[in-house]
Amino acid sequence: MSHIVEAKTKIVCPNLPEFLALIRQGDDMTIAELPFILLLRQAVTMVASEYEGELKPYYLDYYQIQHRVNTGLALHIPRQAGKQALDRGLGLSIDEKTGVLTCVGDPYRVEEFYEAIQRRIIRTYTTLAYMAAMRLEQFQHVSVQALQEGVVISGELYA
């Protein structure tokens, strides 16, 4: 039985009209080059590397039917002895009406791990976004300290 879940985040696509226009054109290559998507890809890739996962442009439902996500980003963590898996994947999609980043997939029987990976992706994305913003504002010596369920980002700004 398929249990597709959509979990909305507080992250919003900064240029929704451009994103939607590229989707309508079917221009996956240009979508992949949008700064928002590049940063999101970097976050998902970092989490994927921690869990020996891979990125695909779709997630699977319980019946193994592919469902494409409009960002082209879905994290799949294959089954390995003694480790948890997300073999159906966790997709990242942008709501085409609101621009809100949404995690979508079928977490049946792996609900807690699925939620933990969602949190990890969002935390990684947020950390990367704050670091990028600090660099744009010319902060120097930007550093990150990971805590149990949070992150401390610091930097120095010289006048």
Side-chain angles (χ1 to χ4, degrees):
M1 171 177 249
S2 194
H3 295 86
I4 303 301
V5 173
E6 288 187 3
K8 304 229 180 259
T9 70
K10 293 182 180 181
I11 298 169
V12 178
C13 179
N15 195 345
L16 185 60
E18 179 184 9
F19 178 77
L20 293 175
L22 292 170
I23 286 176
R24 283 187 208 102
Q25 294 170 12
D27 193 348
D28 293 343
M29 295 301 285
T30 305
I31 290 171
E33 295 300 317
L34 293 172
F36 175 72
I37 301 297
L38 284 171
L39 197 59
L40 192 55
R41 176 178 295 281
Q42 185 180 1
V44 177
T45 299
M46 290 172 72
V47 174
S49 68
E50 291 178 40
Y51 294 92
E52 299 178 28
E54 60 183 326
L55 277 71
K56 297 181 181 180
Y58 58 85
Y59 66 91
L60 302 169
D61 64 22
Y62 183 81
Y63 301 105
Q64 303 300 303
I65 297 171
Q66 294 181 6
H67 299 270
R68 290 187 62 82
V69 288
N70 60 12
T71 63
L73 301 170
L75 173 59
H76 293 256
I77 301 173
R79 294 184 189 273
Q80 299 175 36
K83 294 184 179 181
Q84 291 186 296
L86 291 179
D87 52 349
R88 290 188 294 271
L90 185 160
L92 297 168
S93 184
I94 295 172
D95 183 297
E96 295 183 13
K97 291 183 178 128
T98 63
V100 171
L101 179 66
T102 303
C103 298
V104 61
D106 183 355
Y108 182 64
R109 302 191 89 169
V110 292
E111 290 88 353
E112 286 181 26
F113 185 58
Y114 185 91
E115 289 174 16
I117 295 299
Q118 281 182 60
R119 285 190 303 274
R120 185 83 174 127
I121 290 170
I122 299 308
R123 184 170 71 185
T124 302
Y125 171 81
T126 304
T127 300
L128 292 171
Y130 273 109
M131 290 175 66
M134 289 175 77
R135 287 192 183 105
L136 283 174
E137 293 297 320
Q138 299 180 349
F139 276 77
Q140 298 172 0
H141 310 290
V142 176
S143 65
V144 176
Q145 179 184 4
L147 304 174
Q148 249 181 325
E149 281 298 318
V151 176
V152 174
I153 303 170
S154 62
E156 299 170 358
L157 183 61
Y158 299 104

